[in-house]
Amino acid sequence: MAPPSPLLTMSGITKSFPGVRALDGVDLEVQAGEVHCLLGQNGAGKSTLIKVLAGAHQPDEGTITWRGEPVTLRSPIAAMRLGIATIYQELDLIEGLSVAENVFLGHEPTSAGFVVRGSAARKATAELLERLGHSEIDPSRLVGDLSAAQQQIVSMARALSHEVRLIVMDEPSAALDPEEVDNLFRIVGELTDDGVAVVYISHRLEEIRRIGDRVTVLKEGRSVAGGLPAESTPTHEVVALMTGRNVEYVFPKRSERPEAGFATGKEPVLTVEGLTRRGEFAPVDLELGPGEIVGLAGLVGSGRSEILETIYGARRPDGGRVLVDGTPLRPGSVRAAVRAGIGLAPEERKAQGLLMLESVSSNVSVSTLSRFARAGWIDRRTERAATHQAVRELSLRPDNPDAAIRTLSGGNQQKAVLARWLLRGCKVLLLDEPTRGVDIGARAELYAVIRRLADEGLAVLLVSSEVPEVLGLADRVLVLREGSVVHTADARELDEHRVLDLVMEGSPTP
């Protein structure tokens, strides 16, 4: 029996931008009702390929066949009319509009040829949200008031508001906790049971095995493998195709230190005493010594990011205090925290941590500009030399401080944030999801950078949704559940199953 004809075929797709050949003859074939996983490092061409499929970019060469017919996707609207929807990692929602207005933006419900607004759109949105297992989201609520996970659901509802036959999901689980990931996979299963195809992009190989049917691997703008069985293809083979070498979670060796972490004859550089914010996290106590990495493990919503932001002064605590080298900081003051030597690499790197229209040099020097001021003017030559040295120490690529930060891969953008605090000479570095959206090869580089900075005396407080990352990088781990610390231990005394048991079932530590 002949196999069914593909729903989608992309053949020999090329796309160039000034000075860059982003796609160099990519092939992709997707069957109806399958989950086809697209893998590749940052810069491999995944984003460009899905933008070609979404109609946002026009290919220079190559053909696209949809349901057996050649098509030209001249715009996102043209792609959507064919039944192709894309949910981007960087969600393109309008925060000032309601959930319902975002879901039906551009194709409002109609009756007798007239656009129906208000209650009809809210009712239709509520039905979509219920289908997605999130009926608690109010269709009238402003999108800007929702959590990142809830915004992801709204973006999915918008895709399902069309008659879709193929949905592209770009890192859809990045902002979700395990229960929400389970719900996402349930939705994907229902879609594929109805014959809808899903192109699924993720850096998490365990997700690919769990949800995928077949895999296509991109490397340097080329498809180096297609149609691989998602469940049975060995991890080392997939990683080797992506990177040209065998790399998985590669954590640098920990420095030998006493179990107490900061008990090295030195006083703790960061002390947190009874820090609390009502409705977000219960009183937290911790000490962090020079050269120590402490990890916070817990589900999304457990208070991890809120603790980091309160230490940094971006949120004002309801109680407790933060001390650096024994000196209390003024509560709720970012300026006081930075002056005391605290730096933050936030979870939303592009929205909160970077000036996307500026150069690498401007991004690195932004917290240290006074150092380069001369009679009210910035000495750009001195600034450029200093930032160039900082990024070189972290092996940032390209080695060009004048490069636009938006053109860098996720891993190199993160290095630029780290370089900012390296140049500032901070004592405490707060890292919130440091490898989110970073490919598997660049992760190993970031892990090595973080460990080297700690070995040089920097104190690091780390938050990550990936338990292996917390256990592999940290010296000590605080496990959080619903805003409370339920367990504290040396990282070597824990494993992934123990941590997950604690975050799901744990009770606060006495």
Side-chain angles (χ1 to χ4, degrees):
M1 182 177 177
S5 299
L7 175 69
L8 169 75
T9 304
M10 304 179 77
S11 302
I13 302 296
T14 69
K15 180 65 179 177
S16 295
F17 300 98
V20 179
R21 193 169 180 85
L23 300 176
D24 191 11
V26 172
D27 300 322
L28 177 66
E29 181 183 284
V30 181
Q31 298 284 351
E34 79 164 332
V35 178
H36 196 110
C37 301
L38 192 61
L39 297 179
Q41 298 194 72
N42 290 110
K46 303 186 304 295
S47 295
T48 305
L49 184 66
I50 65 173
K51 286 178 180 177
V52 169
L53 179 56
H57 288 331
Q58 300 303 305
D60 299 327
E61 297 177 11
T63 60
I64 301 175
T65 303
W66 176 254
R67 305 177 82 168
E69 298 291 334
V71 295
T72 300
L73 305 175
R74 299 191 183 281
S75 68
I77 293 176
M80 189 65 75
R81 284 174 177 167
L82 288 177
I84 301 171
T86 302
I87 302 172
Y88 295 101
Q89 181 181 1
E90 303 295 333
L91 301 178
D92 53 351
L93 301 173
I94 300 175
E95 295 188 351
L97 297 181
S98 71
V99 171
E101 288 168 335
N102 270 277
V103 168
F104 286 100
L105 186 64
H107 68 118
E108 290 80 2
T110 60
S111 177
F114 294 95
V115 172
V116 179
R117 302 185 185 276
S119 61
R122 290 193 293 271
K123 180 181 178 182
T125 299
E127 292 171 354
L128 289 168
L129 292 170
E130 185 174 3
R131 177 183 176 186
L132 293 170
H134 282 269
S135 56
E136 81 283 357
I137 299 176
D138 183 354
S140 302
R141 193 174 179 187
L142 289 181
V143 161
D145 294 336
L146 302 180
S147 68
Q150 289 174 320
Q151 289 185 12
Q152 181 79 284
I153 297 299
V154 173
S155 191
M156 292 182 65
R158 183 170 66 181
L160 293 178
S161 69
H162 300 267
E163 292 295 324
V164 293
R165 303 311 305 162
L166 184 150
I167 297 182
V168 180
M169 297 183 175
D170 187 4
E171 296 283 354
S173 66
L176 306 182
D177 65 29
E179 288 186 2
E180 290 167 330
V181 171
D182 288 341
N183 185 56
L184 169 67
F185 289 175
R186 175 190 64 79
I187 295 164
V188 170
E190 291 178 356
L191 289 170
T192 54
D193 286 346
D194 291 339
V196 176
V198 175
V199 173
Y200 192 91
I201 300 171
S202 177
H203 290 303
R204 299 175 178 177
L205 297 184
E206 70 277 7
E207 290 186 1
I208 302 304
R209 298 206 182 286
R210 180 178 168 190
I211 197 175
D213 295 304
R214 296 190 299 154
V215 172
T216 290
V217 181
L218 301 186
K219 183 176 184 290
E220 297 176 353
R222 299 181 179 90
S223 43
V224 295
L228 298 176
E231 187 174 355
S232 60
T233 303
T235 297
H236 68 84
E237 181 179 331
V238 174
V239 173
L241 287 166
M242 289 169 57
T243 67
R245 61 192 188 279
N246 289 311
V247 181
E248 295 185 47
Y249 278 111
V250 180
F251 297 108
K253 184 179 179 181
R254 290 184 177 91
S255 301
E256 291 300 321
R257 63 185 75 243
E259 288 185 8
F262 58 85
T264 57
K266 299 180 180 179
E267 293 297 318
V269 62
L270 175 71
T271 304
V272 176
E273 297 178 346
L275 197 68
T276 183
R277 271 180 61 90
R278 283 188 294 272
E280 292 183 352
F281 56 89
V284 173
D285 297 284
L286 68 88
E287 290 181 311
L288 184 58
E292 185 181 24
I293 302 176
V294 170
L296 301 181
L299 303 179
V300 173
S302 63
R304 307 166 311 174
S305 297
E306 290 80 3
I307 290 172
L308 259 62
E309 291 174 3
T310 304
I311 293 173
Y312 186 62
R315 296 171 185 252
R316 187 176 183 87
D318 294 314
R321 61 179 187 165
V322 177
L323 302 91
V324 175
D325 289 334
T327 301
L329 301 185
R330 183 156 60 90
S333 171
V334 171
R335 177 175 293 183
V338 171
R339 285 179 172 173
I342 298 179
L344 171 67
E347 177 181 9
E348 297 296 334
R349 183 168 54 240
K350 293 183 179 180
Q352 300 173 331
L354 294 170
L355 306 170
M356 295 303 294
L357 299 180
E358 300 295 332
S359 66
V360 171
S361 181
S362 295
N363 274 275
V364 172
S365 67
V366 69
S367 67
T368 326
L369 282 176
S370 60
R371 181 188 304 181
F372 310 111
R374 301 288 185 273
W377 298 88
I378 300 298
D379 183 341
R380 294 299 180 187
R381 180 178 297 181
T382 305
E383 176 198 26
R384 188 180 186 280
T387 56
H388 198 188
Q389 177 62 29
V391 299
R392 273 188 168 176
E393 288 186 31
L394 302 184
S395 301
L396 186 145
R397 294 185 295 273
D399 184 17
N400 177 11
D402 299 323
I405 197 77
R406 67 181 183 276
T407 65
L408 272 59
S409 68
N412 284 295
Q413 288 179 349
Q414 187 68 289
K415 286 182 182 180
V417 177
L418 299 183
R420 173 186 303 162
W421 299 117
L422 180 64
L423 183 64
R424 175 81 192 185
C426 72
K427 304 172 184 177
V428 180
L429 184 57
L430 311 176
L431 298 178
D432 195 351
E433 302 286 2
T435 63
R436 180 178 175 183
V438 174
D439 69 71
I440 197 167
R443 285 181 179 214
E445 294 182 1
L446 280 173
Y447 297 153
V449 165
I450 293 166
R451 174 50 66 185
R452 177 171 65 80
L453 293 175
D455 289 344
E456 292 172 357
L458 189 66
V460 179
L461 186 58
L462 165 76
V463 162
S464 175
S465 297
E466 300 190 34
V467 175
E469 189 166 89
V470 175
L471 298 180
L473 271 179
D475 301 302
R476 284 187 297 128
V477 176
L478 278 64
V479 182
L480 293 164
R481 181 173 184 265
E482 296 179 357
S484 297
V485 177
V486 297
H487 192 71
T488 303
D490 187 293
R492 289 166 288 196
E493 297 174 0
L494 297 168
D495 59 32
E496 186 173 1
H497 293 293
R498 174 64 174 146
V499 172
L500 291 176
D501 284 345
L502 285 165
V503 300
M504 300 300 292
E505 304 293 342
S507 56
T509 301

